[in-house]
């Protein structure tokens, strides 16, 4: 796996590679995993032919990357810049990452994983069978007022771009994530804390487009623009609204 310290993206947020099949670390999940994933459109994901979105960060970190992901073929198209600031526009199959140029293996694909997880993390509660999911009851919100159910997601200590990552999701009674805490490698001290705001529907998918919080104690806003999906059999993009 790529050493996460070399990835020119939000390092703590580059999670493990997509896992759609069971692994030796798989275990029985609490029902909340599927409930959350279904709230965000899990049951209708097979209708998605393409997903388009631009990942943006502002504050202590400034980033803008545009993606088109074709889930069925697992093909990725990217438009943005490399770590030297030069414009890059390319398309690749994730099944062939190992044979791609270094810029794809070391920069573009880790960035894709990072940005896609930010947009579709709730679906990974079902997809990533290697992650441990625990429902821990009601807890005080880390940023806002009030409380919500806390669901802790822990990734294996090996594999992925940053193994051992832990996420604490604060989930409302509607099964929507309100806030989350990130702990790099399962560290006791939070690496980042963000809100989940500006919910929209992109076709059958529910997505949060705006996240306010901090990374390493410094203000960083993560937000998405130009989010749309193209359904199977259609040539028309359906914008998030």
């Amino acid at each position: 796996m790529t050493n996460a310290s070399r990835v020119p993206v939000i390092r703590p947020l580059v999670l493990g590679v997509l896992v759609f099949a069971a692994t030796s670390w798989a275990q029985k999940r609490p029902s909340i995993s599927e409930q959350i994933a279904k709230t965000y459109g899990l049951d209708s994901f097979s209708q998605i032919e393409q997903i388009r979105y631009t990942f943006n960060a502002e504050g202590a970190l400034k980033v803008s990357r545009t993606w088109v992901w074709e889930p069925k073929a697992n093909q990725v198209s990217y438009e943005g810049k490399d770590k030297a600031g030069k414009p890059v526009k390319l398309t690749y199959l994730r099944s062939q990452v190992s044979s791609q140029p270094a810029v794809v293996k070391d920069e573009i694909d880790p960035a894709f994983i990072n940005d896609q997880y930010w947009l579709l993390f709730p679906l990974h509660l079902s997809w990533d069978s290697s992650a441990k999911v625990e429902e821990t009851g009601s807890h005080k919100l880390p940023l806002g007022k009030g409380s919500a159910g806390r669901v802790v997601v822990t990734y294996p200590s090996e594999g992925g771009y940053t193994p051992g990552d832990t996420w604490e999701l604060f989930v409302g009674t509607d099964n929507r994530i309100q806030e989350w805490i990130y702990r790099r490698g399962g560290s006791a001290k939070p690496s980042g804390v963000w809100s989940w705001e500006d919910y929209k529907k992109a076709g059958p998918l529910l997505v949060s487009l705006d996240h306010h919080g901090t990374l390493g104690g410094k203000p960083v806003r993560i937000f998405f623009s130009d989010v749309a999906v193209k359904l199977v059999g259609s040539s028309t993009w359906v914008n998030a609204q």
Side-chain angles (χ1 to χ4, degrees):
M1 290 298 175
T2 303
N3 185 331
S5 66
R6 296 168 56 197
V7 178
V9 295
I10 307 173
R11 186 173 84 172
L13 308 179
V14 180
L15 307 182
V17 294
L18 301 178
V19 180
F20 295 97
T23 69
S24 59
W25 218 68
Q27 57 184 272
K28 183 177 176 59
R29 301 290 188 82
S31 60
I32 192 65
S33 299
E34 290 297 305
Q35 291 170 17
I36 295 172
K38 288 181 178 182
T39 296
Y40 285 80
L42 175 68
D43 290 344
S44 301
F45 194 79
S46 61
Q47 301 175 19
I48 305 299
E49 187 72 40
Q50 298 182 59
I51 305 175
R52 183 185 70 205
Y53 53 95
T54 298
F55 173 93
N56 307 281
E58 64 180 21
L61 185 75
K62 297 186 183 299
V63 171
S64 182
R65 295 185 287 257
T66 296
W67 306 96
V68 175
W69 180 38
E70 300 175 46
K72 298 181 186 302
N74 213 1
Q75 178 171 287
V76 175
S77 297
Y78 167 72
E79 186 171 354
K81 297 180 179 180
D82 63 16
K83 62 183 179 182
K86 297 180 180 179
V88 175
K89 189 174 183 179
L90 53 80
T91 297
Y92 67 99
L93 292 172
R94 296 208 65 248
S95 60
Q96 300 175 5
V97 166
S98 61
S99 62
Q100 294 292 320
V103 67
V104 175
K105 293 187 291 185
D106 299 343
E107 300 178 34
I108 306 304
D109 193 58
F112 166 72
I113 295 298
N114 178 87
D115 301 357
Q116 190 256 44
Y117 262 81
W118 266 101
L119 186 68
L120 301 178
F121 188 91
L123 302 185
H124 285 275
L125 291 174
S126 176
W127 290 343
D128 293 358
S129 58
S130 63
K132 178 181 179 182
V133 181
E134 300 173 280
E135 191 172 9
T136 66
S138 181
H139 289 256
K140 185 180 181 300
L141 290 170
L143 294 174
K145 297 180 179 179
S147 59
R150 187 180 71 165
V151 177
V152 180
V153 183
T154 306
Y155 281 81
S157 58
E158 296 181 359
Y161 288 119
T162 53
D165 284 350
T166 299
W167 298 87
E168 297 178 26
L169 316 180
F170 293 81
V171 183
T173 55
D174 57 0
N175 292 324
R176 292 188 179 191
I177 300 171
Q178 297 178 2
E179 298 177 5
W180 69 0
I181 294 175
Y182 170 71
R183 300 180 188 275
R184 184 175 185 271
S187 64
K189 182 179 179 180
S191 305
V193 184
W194 285 270
S195 64
W196 278 54
E197 306 173 49
D198 192 19
Y199 274 98
K200 295 287 192 295
K201 290 293 292 290
L205 300 182
L206 177 67
V207 291
S208 171
L209 303 183
D210 206 358
H211 308 275
H212 293 265
T214 60
L215 176 65
K218 298 180 180 180
V220 173
R221 177 192 175 205
I222 305 294
F223 63 100
F224 289 91
S225 55
D226 193 31
V227 177
V229 300
K230 190 177 288 187
L231 303 179
V232 173
S234 174
S235 60
T236 304
W237 287 102
V238 179
N239 295 320
Q241 57 185 351

